[in-house]
Amino acid sequence: MKLYLKMIKAIPFAAVAGAALTGCVTNQPPPPPPVPVVIKSDPDHADVYRKGSSLGQKTPHTVSFRFLADTWDGELRKEGYVPQSVTVSKNGPREVLVTLEKIIPKITLTSVPSKADVFTPSGAMIGQTPVVISVTNDAQTYQLSLYAYESKSVTLTPSSSKTVEVDLGGKIPGFDLPEAVIVDNRMVVQTRTVFADRDVIERSPSVRAVRRLTDFPVTRVVGGGSLSPDGKRLMMNVFERVTAPDGKLMRYSSLWSIDVGAGGSLLRNTDGDYIDDSPCYSPDGKYVYFAANRSGKNSIFRMPSNGKGGLGLVTPGTTIDRFPSAAPNSETLMWTAYTEGTTVPQLWSLALLPNGLPTGLPLQIREGQGPHWSPDGKTILYCVMDRSIKKLKIWTMLPDGSQPTQLTTGSDANDIDPAWSPDGTKIVFASDRGVANGVHNYDIWIMNADGSNPKQLTTNGSHDDHPVITPDGKTIFFRSNRGLKWDMWVMELAE
């Protein structure tokens, strides 16, 4: 026993410990090198999540597989993008790219009232309210338009509410349209209410470069017009409100003309407390025929187009005369006449001397109104009231009244103000056959000379009528109250 103890004491502790440690180190294999996998995202700087918790890291993020399992599961999150799961493996690619899908907000655009047309900034209609819009840009402006209401714009962004409502307000107040009408065998000015659109934009694909030609004050309302044969001046009648000495508000009408070229000079051709109406240039451009109540009743007068010289009385008969139209050869004048005791308009004609004054007796042709001679002088355009449906329709006839032919039909629309194209192959006219939100609205239309292939030219929610086409057939002047004011406008045909 004593010998055993002595042997233990004889072995140094350090030697024993050193031998044991040395043997341990030499018996274990070296640790494996780390296996890095880089996770990238498009777009970058996405937050890295694992098991629902944020790691406080953003992409690009490196995963090391030294002490991990063979796979790593996580999730990438970024504001404005759909969260995307990602799984990487130490035996897989050393770099993984994750493409994040952008969240496109869908916004429901509504209006009060509903069913307003919605347009993009480029003018393309995308639907009627309520409409769902995907907002992809930082800010996108849309325009809402509803007949008889003020058009309004709204800007949508990805951060806009899921539902955006636009209040269009109340209906635009009715606009007075003064018109010369026959009452008790005399011509007077009456008014009726029509709607106007504050928006002056014309979105029709059939026209382009629509612009205002005149700029009358709101106290004046332009009527119908006639273009000089050379296409340089437009003659029109303009209604004006006048306060009489007794305080009574009166309406009169004078003739004005405007240079339709670059100058745009405006000239007043007649004045006085009269109703001068429906001017028409003679084919040679030297004279202007017009209707007026200057002789105590309404008759056709003639005056020099240059403003020099006096007025000549053309129709001194017992009828009430309006809407004169001279034949291309200047030998015949046709007009609308109302005989005493009847309200049905009739077409009359009268032979003319070379100086434009009448010769012989007037001839009653047939029922109708608003005659227009064709460029070749062989056909007359005119309108007739269909008594069964109480709508005006466009007809043609020969100058002697024979071969009447109806061009427009339909029981729910008026077709008025027809005029020939310079080559006689087309007819421009105004019609309320178009419907905007359940309301018939006058627009400018065009059709073939036989009445086929009618095409709508203007689509603005305002009242458009009295079209006049230029000698080259490319431009149309027309009256409109778009922009809440009555003026003459110009449009170029797209074709």
Side-chain angles (χ1 to χ4, degrees):
M1 185 64 178
K2 292 181 179 180
L3 180 60
Y4 177 75
L5 293 174
K6 288 181 179 180
M7 289 177 66
I8 292 176
K9 291 180 180 179
I11 300 174
F13 178 80
V16 175
L21 292 175
T22 301
C24 179
V25 172
T26 56
N27 292 334
Q28 285 190 349
V35 180
V37 177
V38 179
I39 302 175
K40 295 183 177 181
S41 67
D42 180 20
D44 57 7
H45 301 300
D47 295 314
V48 182
Y49 280 72
R50 193 155 191 256
K51 297 181 179 180
S53 299
S54 174
L55 300 183
Q57 301 291 323
K58 293 181 180 293
T59 55
H61 174 69
T62 301
V63 176
S64 176
F65 281 97
R66 174 182 287 180
F67 301 110
L68 295 179
D70 292 342
T71 60
W72 183 94
D73 298 309
E75 186 179 60
L76 302 184
R77 301 180 186 179
K78 188 175 179 65
E79 186 177 358
Y81 293 84
V82 178
Q84 182 66 48
S85 299
V86 57
T87 299
V88 296
S89 170
K90 68 179 180 180
N91 296 322
R94 294 293 177 264
E95 185 175 292
V96 176
L97 176 64
V98 179
T99 300
L100 301 178
E101 180 184 355
K102 188 173 183 180
I103 299 175
I104 301 178
K106 295 185 182 298
I107 299 174
T108 301
L109 183 61
T110 66
S111 67
V112 179
S114 61
K115 297 187 180 301
D117 295 333
V118 181
F119 298 90
T120 66
S122 64
M125 181 177 171
I126 60 175
Q128 292 183 326
T129 56
V131 61
V132 178
I133 299 176
S134 298
V135 183
T136 57
N137 299 326
D138 291 338
Q140 189 77 21
T141 301
Y142 298 88
Q143 186 179 59
L144 285 75
S145 180
L146 180 61
Y147 181 80
Y149 289 83
E150 182 178 358
S151 296
K152 290 190 177 181
S153 298
V154 60
T155 300
L156 303 180
T157 68
S159 59
S160 298
S161 302
K162 291 184 178 181
T163 300
V164 175
E165 183 180 88
V166 178
D167 189 352
L168 299 178
K171 280 189 174 182
I172 296 174
F175 269 63
D176 284 344
L177 172 60
E179 296 173 307
V181 297
I182 306 302
V183 177
D184 296 331
N185 295 321
R186 64 189 182 94
M187 188 167 69
V188 299
V189 177
Q190 290 186 347
T191 61
R192 62 187 176 97
T193 301
V194 298
F195 284 106
D197 197 334
R198 294 181 187 272
D199 187 4
V200 300
I201 296 176
E202 182 55 65
R203 297 183 175 86
S204 171
S206 300
V207 300
R208 59 188 177 187
V210 178
R211 62 181 177 86
R212 192 192 304 267
L213 178 65
T214 62
D215 192 13
F216 286 109
V218 294
T219 56
R220 291 174 180 165
V221 174
V222 65
S226 174
L227 194 62
S228 60
D230 59 8
K232 293 183 179 180
R233 292 198 73 84
L234 182 71
M235 183 78 67
M236 54 203 157
N237 67 293
V238 178
F239 296 97
E240 186 172 6
R241 293 198 300 261
V242 178
T243 303
D246 60 0
K248 186 178 180 180
L249 184 64
M250 306 293 292
R251 279 195 184 273
Y252 301 103
S253 177
S254 303
L255 299 187
W256 295 65
S257 62
I258 185 172
D259 181 358
V260 299
S265 61
L266 191 63
L267 175 67
R268 184 165 187 163
N269 296 89
T270 65
D271 53 19
D273 298 340
Y274 303 108
I275 301 175
D276 297 334
D277 183 45
S278 56
C280 168
Y281 276 95
S282 64
D284 58 9
K286 294 181 180 180
Y287 301 102
V288 174
Y289 297 97
F290 65 99
N293 60 353
R294 293 171 175 262
S295 62
K297 69 175 186 64
N298 215 67
S299 302
I300 304 299
F301 287 80
R302 186 217 65 177
M303 70 175 182
S305 59
N306 59 10
K308 300 178 181 179
L311 304 180
L313 183 62
V314 180
T315 60
T318 59
T319 57
I320 301 172
D321 305 326
R322 302 182 64 194
F323 306 118
S325 179
N329 60 10
S330 299
E331 294 180 356
T332 308
L333 185 74
M334 189 170 290
W335 69 94
T336 304
Y338 296 82
T339 57
E340 186 173 355
T342 180
T343 58
V344 178
Q346 299 170 345
L347 298 176
W348 287 56
S349 69
L350 181 65
L352 298 175
L353 295 170
N355 63 0
L357 291 178
T359 180
L361 297 175
L363 298 176
Q364 180 179 344
I365 306 300
R366 66 178 310 110
E367 290 185 1
Q369 63 187 64
H372 280 270
W373 290 81
S374 62
D376 61 7
K378 296 180 179 180
T379 309
I380 304 294
L381 267 176
Y382 65 104
C383 291
V384 175
M385 173 69 74
D386 188 323
R387 299 180 183 179
S388 62
I389 60 175
K390 305 300 182 182
K391 300 292 183 181
L392 284 167
K393 299 300 175 184
I394 298 174
W395 289 61
T396 60
M397 67 177 184
L398 298 185
D400 61 0
S402 63
Q403 299 184 25
T405 304
Q406 184 172 355
L407 299 186
T408 63
T409 59
S411 60
D412 60 347
N414 290 287
D415 302 317
I416 61 173
D417 303 336
W420 295 97
S421 65
D423 60 4
T425 62
K426 302 285 184 180
I427 297 172
V428 293
F429 62 102
S431 177
D432 63 353
R433 62 181 66 186
V435 177
N437 296 292
V439 181
H440 285 274
N441 177 62
Y442 276 98
D443 293 294
I444 307 301
W445 290 67
I446 191 169
M447 63 182 176
N448 294 332
D450 61 359
S452 63
N453 193 31
K455 177 193 288 187
Q456 186 173 355
L457 296 180
T458 62
T459 58
N460 185 279
S462 301
H463 182 107
D464 301 336
D465 61 8
H466 291 294
V468 179
I469 193 165
T470 56
D472 61 7
K474 298 179 180 179
T475 304
I476 295 176
F477 300 97
F478 65 100
R479 180 180 70 163
S480 178
N481 62 0
R482 61 186 65 195
L484 309 188
K485 192 162 69 74
W486 290 102
D487 275 304
M488 292 297 293
W489 287 72
V490 188
M491 63 176 166
E492 295 180 12
L493 296 178
E495 299 179 0

